[in-house]
Amino acid sequence: MNVAEWEARAAAARERMAASGTRVCVCSGASCMVSGGDAVLEATEKAVKSAGLEGSARVVKVGCMGTCSQGPLVRLDPDGVVYQKMDASKAGRVIDKHLKNKALLRESLLFAGPAEPGVERPSEHPFYARQLQVVLEHCGRINPEDIDEYLAVGGYRALYKALSSMSPEEVIGEVKMSGLRGRGGAGFPTGLKWETAYRHVADHKYVVCNGDEGDPGAFMDRAVMEGDPQRILEGMAIAAYAVGADRGFIYVRGEFPPLAIRRLGIAIEQARAAGLLGRNILETGFNFDIEIRIGAGAYVCGEETALLISIEGRRGVPRPRPPFPAESGLWGKPTLLNNVETYAGVAPIIERGGEWYSTIGTAKSMGTKVFALAGAINRTGLIEVPMGITLREIIYDIGGGIPGGRRFKAAQTGGPVGGCIPEQYLDVRVDYESLVGLGSMMGSGGLIVMDDTTCMVNLARYFMEFCMDESCGKCVPCRVGTRQMHLLLSRICGGEGTERDLALLEELAPYCREASLCGLGQGAPNTLMSTLRHFRDEYLVHIREKRCPAGECAMAGAPAGVR
Amino acid sequence: MAALEIFVNDRKVACESGATVLQACRAAGVNLPTLCHFKGLSEVGACRLCLVELEGSPRLAAACTLHVAPNQRIRTDTERLRRYRRMTVELLFSERNHVCSVCSANGDCELQELGYAVGMDHVRFPFLNPICNLDASKSEFAIDHNRCVLCTRCVRVCAEVEGAHNWDVQGRGFLSRIVSDLNQPWAESTTCTTCGKCIDVCPVGALWPKHKAQGQFEKRPEFVSELIAKRGRGRP
Ligand SMILES: Cc1cc2nc3c(=O)[nH]c(=O)nc-3n(C[C@H](O)[C@H](O)[C@H](O)COP(=O)(O)O)c2cc1C
Ligand code: SF4
Ligand code: FES
């Protein structure tokens, strides 16, 4: 495909989308699918057909719309009206009432509940109004299985801009200027990483996308893979051009429902067929192709060195760095490895400029971040916010606060290797440095909200168990340290802990953090350390009074009548 | 290779570029405890006993996998490092079922020596007492997982020197186990050549010749290192 053909195809796709009348978008995100999205899709298609509306409405399957707690969802574009908690019969009523009779089906409007009416214009509701969607701008709006829809919304314009009018140095310069930092957890400056990979001369280089997302409750990357896979491919192609790579891999967690892998596969095939992957892309002489690699679900394979070893077909175990992958990665060649969300942020940066991106967020954490809201919060789901927003705004304005009138206790960020943030820090600005300052971390975007029924000692025990089970077993501090810490925490939760156990825990935690080989062992004590920092009294009550203040731990050693 | 200088505990030490900090330290007579390191085999940085403090870096680094760089400043003997080394040895003793009195390697055991070296007078952590197997199916040798410290020396010597790759690691974390072939009884391995190199490199009594009783077994680790050196492969 050359430029003229590509532009013509995008224009035709735009016209087709505009001419199809109302787009009945049915969410096929993971959460909506679990709650019956399949049946809704089928019923919607049937209803449109039997109402004879095929000429003026088109049913489209789209990715996650964000308000997962209200699913299954159906949105009617261009009106922008969203209907919640759909089932087959309600979907039929939506088509009848909204499309045929041009009236709102009020009882099914988004966020309609016994106490409050639904919203007519979701974009004005705080859930969406407080967000800023860059990475997710097309997710939930276009059909992820149709490259034409991606082209229609401006897809691959950034790649063409880079290939036709920018040198690799200029692309890297733009990414550096944007201030983009790795969204996979560590927050390393993306431009610097690209520059390192660019500087290392080799006959082959690789670009790898980390789609191993293994934090319990996190689904940011999966939502992008399912909802806008072309965006990831475009970002990877731009990166490959910048660093001089000719081959790419996307490493996807094998435990995911097959949807993400299937859609990525379809996206790659369609991009190849359109000449946007493969040889001589857009007739600029640039060659780049991408393959999918499916991991077997070990959490540690999300760690970059283990991931690369796993792609090579060996046992996925981390190795010491340096050398960093950008110097020596896959098969010893310079390899650029970034997270899904990082790549998905690249195209807008190239298209609108690094400077534009750098105006979003804070001085050191620029741009936006996607979070998966989970736990004791009214509106669970997928959100994208500008960095620097406060935790309170996320939890109360966007998330709608704590259900059942209960009290907020803490929020866990950074997954099992992250930490918790207690109530007194609700006004903390969410950026890389502030969260680390509180003993937690940004992580990849999981945000679990806990109310006063959660025991913080048990939380530490739970995440320690996760790390213990997922430890690769290579280094001693993590392999045996997590096991010992889990044992000691279990004793305390069971009412059999002593102050000596607590002292041992406080000795093991910094040891495991500082002596372990990779980020898993280094991060494993984080929840323990942050709960000890903010909720030490809860530990002491477990030990001294054999009592669990939150009422979550069953105390074996408790005197009769005390729980 | 070019010569360069680093500072070990404020002392100037000359070394070759490309050397590891462990090599530089040992050449200069600075001792560092090691367990997974074995002269001639690839380095894995797994036991974390050789950790050093590196000026300008918030992280501790394993000397066996850290390469020297001009004017690098290393500390090998701080209070924190000594404490952490002792904890590593304690954790290793707590992990499996180490009963020296019935072990063929008693008296010639690197774990025992490490215990003395780091001043471990007792183990403060609960003993974990896992259930471990013993594979005595092979007529010459046996492997007792109760004594294994997962240093992976056997895995590496078998793959890198003998070229057989009989040994590998199965499972993960605390449940990791060294396995023969695809977890078959050792006697049924189709790759094992019965060369015995794994027996000589095992730092403890996990791999041993069956005809040796308690405390009788003398290992010859130098033999394997010399063999590698003579072949002109591997690390010095
Ligand atoms: C135990 C462990 C698990 C990790 N899991 C992931 C993951 O699932 N996805 C991810 O992108 N990064 C993960 N990381 C971080 C990666 O090692 C790496 O830093 C990241 O993918 C780099 O991309 P970025 O710079 O774009 O963030 C993990 C790190 C550790 C230590
Ligand atoms: S820290 Fe844990 S996961 Fe990482 S190398 Fe050590 S044992 Fe493996
Ligand atoms: S000898 Fe360096 S980590 Fe084991």
mmCIF file of all heavy atoms in Angstrom, chain A residues 112-133:
data_model
loop_
_atom_site.group_PDB
_atom_site.id
_atom_site.type_symbol
_atom_site.label_atom_id
_atom_site.label_comp_id
_atom_site.label_asym_id
_atom_site.label_seq_id
_atom_site.Cartn_x
_atom_site.Cartn_y
_atom_site.Cartn_z
ATOM 1 N N ALA A 112 -28.280 4.571 36.474
ATOM 2 C CA ALA A 112 -29.621 4.649 37.046
ATOM 3 C C ALA A 112 -29.708 3.657 38.199
ATOM 4 O O ALA A 112 -29.294 2.508 38.076
ATOM 5 C CB ALA A 112 -30.667 4.304 35.991
ATOM 6 N N GLY A 113 -30.201 4.119 39.345
ATOM 7 C CA GLY A 113 -30.326 3.234 40.500
ATOM 8 C C GLY A 113 -31.605 3.570 41.229
ATOM 9 O O GLY A 113 -32.338 4.468 40.816
ATOM 10 N N PRO A 114 -31.863 2.882 42.320
ATOM 11 C CA PRO A 114 -33.092 3.152 43.064
ATOM 12 C C PRO A 114 -33.129 4.610 43.533
ATOM 13 O O PRO A 114 -34.200 5.218 43.605
ATOM 14 C CB PRO A 114 -33.017 2.185 44.258
ATOM 15 C CG PRO A 114 -31.692 1.500 44.188
ATOM 16 C CD PRO A 114 -31.055 1.801 42.883
ATOM 17 N N ALA A 115 -31.969 5.162 43.864
ATOM 18 C CA ALA A 115 -31.961 6.501 44.452
ATOM 19 C C ALA A 115 -31.717 7.607 43.439
ATOM 20 O O ALA A 115 -32.080 8.745 43.663
ATOM 21 C CB ALA A 115 -30.892 6.560 45.547
ATOM 22 N N GLU A 116 -31.066 7.273 42.338
ATOM 23 C CA GLU A 116 -30.723 8.363 41.413
ATOM 24 C C GLU A 116 -31.127 7.997 39.994
ATOM 25 O O GLU A 116 -31.134 6.829 39.616
ATOM 26 C CB GLU A 116 -29.214 8.667 41.492
ATOM 27 C CG GLU A 116 -28.356 7.413 41.422
ATOM 28 C CD GLU A 116 -26.863 7.712 41.461
ATOM 29 O OE1 GLU A 116 -26.444 8.786 40.975
ATOM 30 O OE2 GLU A 116 -26.116 6.848 41.935
ATOM 31 N N PRO A 117 -31.463 9.026 39.211
ATOM 32 C CA PRO A 117 -31.796 8.783 37.818
ATOM 33 C C PRO A 117 -30.510 8.519 37.030
ATOM 34 O O PRO A 117 -29.426 8.896 37.474
ATOM 35 C CB PRO A 117 -32.432 10.099 37.380
ATOM 36 C CG PRO A 117 -31.813 11.135 38.277
ATOM 37 C CD PRO A 117 -31.507 10.452 39.573
ATOM 38 N N GLY A 118 -30.631 7.884 35.889
ATOM 39 C CA GLY A 118 -29.460 7.648 35.067
ATOM 40 C C GLY A 118 -29.001 8.919 34.384
ATOM 41 O O GLY A 118 -29.666 9.960 34.451
ATOM 42 N N VAL A 119 -27.843 8.858 33.737
ATOM 43 C CA VAL A 119 -27.342 10.063 33.087
ATOM 44 C C VAL A 119 -27.637 10.017 31.589
ATOM 45 O O VAL A 119 -27.513 8.980 30.950
ATOM 46 C CB VAL A 119 -25.830 10.259 33.325
ATOM 47 C CG1 VAL A 119 -25.561 10.517 34.786
ATOM 48 C CG2 VAL A 119 -25.038 9.061 32.853
ATOM 49 N N GLU A 120 -28.047 11.171 31.080
ATOM 50 C CA GLU A 120 -28.344 11.241 29.647
ATOM 51 C C GLU A 120 -27.092 11.494 28.839
ATOM 52 O O GLU A 120 -26.958 11.042 27.715
ATOM 53 C CB GLU A 120 -29.351 12.371 29.387
ATOM 54 C CG GLU A 120 -30.715 12.062 29.944
ATOM 55 C CD GLU A 120 -31.672 13.230 29.742
ATOM 56 O OE1 GLU A 120 -31.526 13.962 28.750
ATOM 57 O OE2 GLU A 120 -32.560 13.400 30.603
ATOM 58 N N ARG A 121 -26.203 12.300 29.409
ATOM 59 C CA ARG A 121 -24.956 12.599 28.707
ATOM 60 C C ARG A 121 -23.784 12.118 29.553
ATOM 61 O O ARG A 121 -23.259 12.863 30.381
ATOM 62 C CB ARG A 121 -24.849 14.090 28.438
ATOM 63 C CG ARG A 121 -25.735 14.555 27.276
ATOM 64 C CD ARG A 121 -25.676 16.043 27.106
ATOM 65 N NE ARG A 121 -26.228 16.730 28.272
ATOM 66 C CZ ARG A 121 -27.542 16.991 28.406
ATOM 67 N NH1 ARG A 121 -28.381 16.670 27.466
ATOM 68 N NH2 ARG A 121 -27.987 17.584 29.482
ATOM 69 N N PRO A 122 -23.360 10.865 29.351
ATOM 70 C CA PRO A 122 -22.303 10.288 30.188
ATOM 71 C C PRO A 122 -21.042 11.151 30.205
ATOM 72 O O PRO A 122 -20.368 11.239 31.225
ATOM 73 C CB PRO A 122 -22.021 8.942 29.524
ATOM 74 C CG PRO A 122 -23.259 8.604 28.785
ATOM 75 C CD PRO A 122 -23.874 9.902 28.361
ATOM 76 N N SER A 123 -20.728 11.826 29.119
ATOM 77 C CA SER A 123 -19.471 12.571 29.088
ATOM 78 C C SER A 123 -19.473 13.704 30.115
ATOM 79 O O SER A 123 -18.426 14.212 30.474
ATOM 80 C CB SER A 123 -19.230 13.130 27.689
ATOM 81 O OG SER A 123 -20.302 13.973 27.336
ATOM 82 N N GLU A 124 -20.660 14.076 30.609
ATOM 83 C CA GLU A 124 -20.704 15.146 31.614
ATOM 84 C C GLU A 124 -20.714 14.602 33.041
ATOM 85 O O GLU A 124 -20.581 15.346 33.996
ATOM 86 C CB GLU A 124 -21.944 16.022 31.393
ATOM 87 C CG GLU A 124 -21.816 16.831 30.114
ATOM 88 C CD GLU A 124 -23.130 17.481 29.711
ATOM 89 O OE1 GLU A 124 -24.052 17.537 30.539
ATOM 90 O OE2 GLU A 124 -23.212 17.932 28.549
ATOM 91 N N HIS A 125 -20.882 13.295 33.162
ATOM 92 C CA HIS A 125 -20.879 12.675 34.489
ATOM 93 C C HIS A 125 -19.429 12.625 34.993
ATOM 94 O O HIS A 125 -18.508 12.405 34.224
ATOM 95 C CB HIS A 125 -21.450 11.255 34.378
ATOM 96 C CG HIS A 125 -21.585 10.579 35.699
ATOM 97 N ND1 HIS A 125 -20.549 9.881 36.276
ATOM 98 C CD2 HIS A 125 -22.619 10.509 36.586
ATOM 99 C CE1 HIS A 125 -20.957 9.390 37.446
ATOM 100 N NE2 HIS A 125 -22.205 9.760 37.642
ATOM 101 N N PRO A 126 -19.246 12.872 36.316
ATOM 102 C CA PRO A 126 -17.863 12.915 36.831
ATOM 103 C C PRO A 126 -17.024 11.695 36.449
ATOM 104 O O PRO A 126 -15.808 11.808 36.304
ATOM 105 C CB PRO A 126 -18.039 13.023 38.348
ATOM 106 C CG PRO A 126 -19.487 13.143 38.619
ATOM 107 C CD PRO A 126 -20.244 13.199 37.336
ATOM 108 N N PHE A 127 -17.654 10.532 36.303
ATOM 109 C CA PHE A 127 -16.857 9.353 35.976
ATOM 110 C C PHE A 127 -16.042 9.594 34.709
ATOM 111 O O PHE A 127 -14.879 9.217 34.617
ATOM 112 C CB PHE A 127 -17.748 8.114 35.780
ATOM 113 C CG PHE A 127 -16.948 6.869 35.489
ATOM 114 C CD1 PHE A 127 -16.431 6.105 36.528
ATOM 115 C CD2 PHE A 127 -16.659 6.480 34.184
ATOM 116 C CE1 PHE A 127 -15.664 4.978 36.269
ATOM 117 C CE2 PHE A 127 -15.902 5.351 33.918
ATOM 118 C CZ PHE A 127 -15.403 4.598 34.968
ATOM 119 N N TYR A 128 -16.674 10.219 33.715
ATOM 120 C CA TYR A 128 -15.947 10.493 32.474
ATOM 121 C C TYR A 128 -15.357 11.900 32.459
ATOM 122 O O TYR A 128 -14.266 12.118 31.934
ATOM 123 C CB TYR A 128 -16.870 10.307 31.259
ATOM 124 C CG TYR A 128 -17.187 8.864 30.976
ATOM 125 C CD1 TYR A 128 -18.457 8.346 31.208
ATOM 126 C CD2 TYR A 128 -16.197 8.006 30.489
ATOM 127 C CE1 TYR A 128 -18.740 7.005 30.960
ATOM 128 C CE2 TYR A 128 -16.488 6.669 30.240
ATOM 129 C CZ TYR A 128 -17.759 6.173 30.469
ATOM 130 O OH TYR A 128 -18.036 4.857 30.226
ATOM 131 N N ALA A 129 -16.088 12.851 33.058
ATOM 132 C CA ALA A 129 -15.643 14.251 32.960
ATOM 133 C C ALA A 129 -14.296 14.467 33.637
ATOM 134 O O ALA A 129 -13.510 15.299 33.203
ATOM 135 C CB ALA A 129 -16.699 15.163 33.566
ATOM 136 N N ARG A 130 -14.026 13.718 34.711
ATOM 137 C CA ARG A 130 -12.758 13.911 35.419
ATOM 138 C C ARG A 130 -11.610 13.163 34.760
ATOM 139 O O ARG A 130 -10.477 13.253 35.188
ATOM 140 C CB ARG A 130 -12.882 13.440 36.882
ATOM 141 C CG ARG A 130 -13.940 14.145 37.670
ATOM 142 C CD ARG A 130 -13.796 15.656 37.643
ATOM 143 N NE ARG A 130 -12.603 16.144 38.307
ATOM 144 C CZ ARG A 130 -12.594 16.578 39.570
ATOM 145 N NH1 ARG A 130 -13.674 16.602 40.277
ATOM 146 N NH2 ARG A 130 -11.466 17.001 40.110
ATOM 147 N N GLN A 131 -11.918 12.389 33.738
ATOM 148 C CA GLN A 131 -10.864 11.627 33.070
ATOM 149 C C GLN A 131 -10.262 12.417 31.919
ATOM 150 O O GLN A 131 -10.836 13.401 31.440
ATOM 151 C CB GLN A 131 -11.436 10.321 32.502
ATOM 152 C CG GLN A 131 -11.911 9.339 33.545
ATOM 153 C CD GLN A 131 -12.184 7.976 32.933
ATOM 154 O OE1 GLN A 131 -11.399 7.463 32.153
ATOM 155 N NE2 GLN A 131 -13.318 7.402 33.283
ATOM 156 N N LEU A 132 -9.105 11.961 31.457
ATOM 157 C CA LEU A 132 -8.518 12.516 30.250
ATOM 158 C C LEU A 132 -8.005 11.315 29.464
ATOM 159 O O LEU A 132 -7.072 10.640 29.892
ATOM 160 C CB LEU A 132 -7.375 13.472 30.595
ATOM 161 C CG LEU A 132 -6.648 14.070 29.392
ATOM 162 C CD1 LEU A 132 -7.624 14.861 28.533
ATOM 163 C CD2 LEU A 132 -5.506 14.954 29.837
ATOM 164 N N GLN A 133 -8.655 11.027 28.357
ATOM 165 C CA GLN A 133 -8.321 9.792 27.661
ATOM 166 C C GLN A 133 -7.415 10.044 26.458
ATOM 167 O O GLN A 133 -7.804 10.699 25.493
ATOM 168 C CB GLN A 133 -9.604 9.076 27.246
ATOM 169 C CG GLN A 133 -10.469 8.743 28.472
ATOM 170 C CD GLN A 133 -11.434 7.620 28.236
ATOM 171 O OE1 GLN A 133 -11.933 7.445 27.134
ATOM 172 N NE2 GLN A 133 -11.683 6.834 29.268
#
